[in-house]
């Protein structure tokens, strides 16, 4: 009987997600993203980066601060920008007047010349079971949004935050996706905010870490988007041929399990290192090229996940450049598609994408602050693995 009711609950969640009228099906084509990290002493200047993006037909960018030089250089360009409130600022944003002051000083001066389209409030606020940061999330996003409204600049700027997959308690099969109990209350409040303001839920997802932690049980082809048997979710009968889509759908089910629908899940970061330490299994140039090339091809084909096949998944590559000043494992400095001199680390087909780009298909770029990725435990074969954590000098 318990199994029957469990299956009925899963069926209800599945139907709610699949058929809800405002879930974004048949919506606009989402953009493809690339992280533009700045943690290096040998990178091109922002004007050179803008030239590179223009040559690649990149029309969107996302940075993990409000770097005034970047925001000024991108003024009057065709590039949209998402900016970030640093983690260290969150406690101050509990005060509505402090939030108004932040928006007045960091956002309003650049409008409308710079196309700021989003504000990310913090980055991966729940890591290692620490709730000290995430407790500030809801007051901060509400106060930032209210400040935008008060200044009359809210119509084209969404407010959200990127989370690691550590926010999930269950992830396998995807239909079992659920948030950890210690943050479920905060997540409910945050999801209510996203629902009201029609903002997306961002997730950082790295199948690489799941493979690195358990290469004997997780097929490499499954995490690289290569042809493979994949897995079938026993509760929904949905077939998954890659881990990234399973990760995204597990988040969608977790959102639905809290009673929310119509909130789009987007991938704020995903990538694969081209080099690593001896214990970093799978961190090779060939695997990095295969993962990113295959993901780009799926993006060009406007693919959605098995749960949302008619809505293209918006995802962001990590990263544009290799960054020599990052700390930690060797892999941390080797996620870039390009070297600092703008030569390709490997070819994933961006030039071909740019040549075939139209007004309905564009790629976008994410600029990251200092971040260190750390893998966690793998939940199950062919699924997620706990997500890496990211730490940045300006975010913490």
């Amino acid at each position: 009987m318990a199994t029957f009711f469990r299956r009925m609950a899963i069926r209800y969640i599945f139907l709610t997600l699949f058929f809800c009228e405002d879930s974004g099906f048949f919506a606009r084509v989402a953009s493809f993203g690339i992280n533009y990290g700045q943690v290096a002493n040998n990178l091109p200047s922002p004007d050179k980066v803008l030239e590179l993006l223009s040559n690649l037909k990149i029309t969107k960018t996302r940075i993990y601060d409000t770097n005034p030089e970047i925001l000024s250089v991108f003024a009057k360009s065709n590039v949209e920008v998402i900016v970030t409130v640093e983690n260290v600022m969150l406690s101050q944003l509990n005060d509505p007047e402090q939030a108004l002051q932040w928006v007045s000083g960091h956002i309003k001066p650049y409008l409308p010349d710079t196309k700021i389209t989003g504000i990310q409030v913090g980055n991966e606020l729940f890591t290692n079971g620490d709730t000290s940061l995430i407790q500030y999330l809801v007051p901060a996003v509400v106060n930032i949004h209210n400040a935008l409204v008060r200044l009359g600049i809210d119509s084209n700027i969404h407010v959200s935050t990127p989370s690691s997959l550590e926010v999930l308690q269950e992830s396998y099969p995807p239909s079992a996706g659920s948030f950890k109990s210690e943050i479920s209350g905060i997540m409910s409040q945050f999801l209510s905010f996203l629902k009201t303001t029609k903002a997306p839920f961002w997730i950082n997802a790295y199948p690489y870490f799941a493979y690195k932690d358990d290469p004997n049980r997780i097929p490499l082809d499954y995490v690289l988007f290569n042809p493979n048997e994949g897995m079938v979710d026993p509760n929904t009968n949905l077939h998954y041929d890659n881990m990234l889509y399973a990760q995204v759908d597990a988040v969608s089910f977790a959102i639905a399990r809290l009673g929310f629908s119509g909130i789009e899940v987007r991938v704020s970061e995903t990538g694969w290192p081209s080099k690593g330490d001896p214990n970093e299994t799978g961190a090779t140039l060939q695997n990095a090229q295969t993962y990113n090339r295959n993901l780009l091809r799926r993006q060009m084909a406007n693919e959605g996940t098995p749960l949302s096949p008619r809505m293209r998944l918006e995802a962001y590559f990590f990263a544009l450049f290799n960054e020599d000043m990052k700390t930690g494992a060797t892999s941390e400095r080797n996620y870039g598609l390009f070297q600092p001199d703008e030569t390709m680390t490997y070819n994933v087909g961006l030039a071909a994408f740019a040549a075939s780009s139209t007004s309905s298909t564009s790629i976008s770029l994410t600029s990251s602050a200092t971040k260190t990725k750390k893998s966690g435990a793998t939940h199950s074969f062919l699924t997620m693995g706990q997500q890496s954590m990211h730490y940045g000098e300006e975010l913490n």
Side-chain angles (χ1 to χ4, degrees):
M1 183 63 70
T3 301
F4 171 77
F5 283 114
R6 180 174 179 273
R7 289 187 177 275
M8 288 298 292
I10 291 296
R11 186 171 292 115
Y12 169 77
I13 292 172
F14 174 73
L15 291 174
T16 299
L17 285 163
F18 197 88
F19 292 110
C20 67
E21 63 181 3
D22 59 348
S23 63
F25 296 128
F26 302 112
R28 85 280 179 271
V29 174
S31 297
F32 192 83
I34 304 174
N35 293 275
Y36 161 28
Q38 304 163 59
V39 191
N41 58 13
N42 55 358
L43 296 182
S45 60
D47 61 314
K48 292 293 186 182
V49 173
L50 179 58
E51 182 180 354
L52 175 62
L53 305 186
S54 299
N55 291 337
L56 294 173
K57 300 293 193 301
I58 292 172
T59 60
K60 296 186 180 182
T61 184
R62 178 172 169 261
I63 61 176
Y64 277 62
D65 53 17
T66 52
N67 185 306
E69 184 179 6
I70 293 176
L71 293 179
S72 297
V73 166
F74 281 75
K76 297 187 183 301
S77 73
N78 193 38
V79 179
E80 299 177 2
V81 184
I82 297 177
V83 300
T84 300
V85 180
E86 296 91 337
N87 286 0
V88 294
M89 286 291 301
L90 291 183
S91 61
Q92 300 177 45
L93 297 179
N94 272 0
D95 180 354
E97 290 304 315
Q98 288 287 331
L100 178 63
Q101 182 177 337
W102 187 90
V103 173
S104 298
H106 293 80
I107 304 298
K108 188 176 181 181
Y110 300 100
L111 301 175
D113 289 347
T114 303
K115 299 176 181 177
I116 299 175
T117 59
I119 299 174
Q120 301 284 44
V121 180
N123 182 60
E124 296 195 350
L125 301 181
F126 180 74
T127 57
N128 295 325
D130 184 0
T131 60
S132 61
L133 279 176
I134 200 170
Q135 65 178 317
Y136 298 117
L137 174 60
V138 175
V141 294
V142 169
N143 289 338
I144 288 291
H145 176 73
N146 288 343
L148 293 171
V149 173
R150 185 171 169 181
L151 295 170
I153 55 176
D154 61 299
S155 58
N156 296 314
I157 302 177
H158 72 247
V159 181
S160 188
T161 192
S163 297
S164 77
L165 290 175
E166 194 179 344
V167 298
L168 294 182
Q169 179 68 43
E170 298 293 340
S171 61
Y172 182 83
S175 60
S178 61
F179 290 111
K180 288 185 175 178
S181 58
E182 60 264 43
I183 60 171
S184 61
I186 294 173
M187 276 297 171
S188 290
Q189 297 175 52
F190 178 56
L191 292 170
S192 179
F193 169 82
L194 296 182
K195 178 73 173 178
T196 300
T197 60
K198 302 187 187 309
F201 188 101
W202 292 93
I203 196 77
N204 296 340
Y206 288 86
Y208 159 70
F209 288 106
Y211 177 75
K212 178 182 75 72
D213 289 344
D214 201 355
N216 293 324
R217 289 204 307 152
I218 298 178
L220 183 60
D221 286 334
Y222 180 70
V223 293
L224 292 180
F225 298 96
N226 281 333
N228 67 95
E229 292 184 3
M231 58 84 68
V232 175
D233 188 310
N235 298 310
T236 63
N237 289 324
L238 293 175
H239 176 260
Y240 292 86
D241 67 355
N242 70 86
M243 183 178 287
L244 181 66
Y245 288 5
Q247 292 174 332
V248 171
D249 281 356
V251 174
S252 294
F253 274 106
I255 292 172
R257 191 164 265 104
L258 287 182
F260 294 89
S261 63
I263 297 175
E264 181 182 356
V265 177
R266 299 178 184 176
V267 178
S268 40
E269 296 179 11
T270 190
W272 198 286
S274 60
K275 183 187 296 186
D277 294 321
N279 65 340
E280 294 189 287
T281 304
T284 68
L285 188 146
Q286 181 179 354
N287 287 343
Q289 180 181 32
T290 300
Y291 180 86
N292 290 319
R293 178 183 285 270
N294 284 342
L295 178 57
L296 178 59
R297 286 172 174 170
R298 289 176 181 247
Q299 289 283 288
M300 292 175 69
N302 295 336
E303 273 195 3
T305 68
L307 183 61
S308 304
R310 293 174 290 175
M311 182 172 67
R312 183 190 183 200
L313 174 65
E314 182 168 351
Y316 286 71
F317 268 139
F318 190 90
L320 183 62
F321 296 113
N322 283 335
E323 299 165 75
D324 65 345
M325 294 181 66
K326 284 194 170 184
T327 59
T330 297
S331 61
E332 286 298 311
R333 296 174 289 281
N334 289 280
Y335 275 86
L337 303 184
F338 289 86
Q339 300 291 346
D341 63 2
E342 301 181 51
T343 59
M344 291 185 293
T345 305
Y346 46 83
N347 184 9
V348 298
L350 284 174
F353 182 90
S356 64
S357 179
T358 68
S359 60
S360 63
T361 58
S362 60
I363 56 179
S364 58
L365 171 132
T366 303
S367 172
S368 69
T370 308
K371 287 183 278 186
T372 300
K373 300 175 183 63
K374 182 176 66 178
S375 62
T378 302
H379 271 286
S380 179
F381 172 68
L382 294 185
T383 188
M384 309 178 60
Q386 285 293 0
Q387 185 48 45
S388 63
M389 275 55 77
H390 305 264
Y391 302 96
E393 293 174 359
E394 71 272 41
L395 296 180
N396 297 289

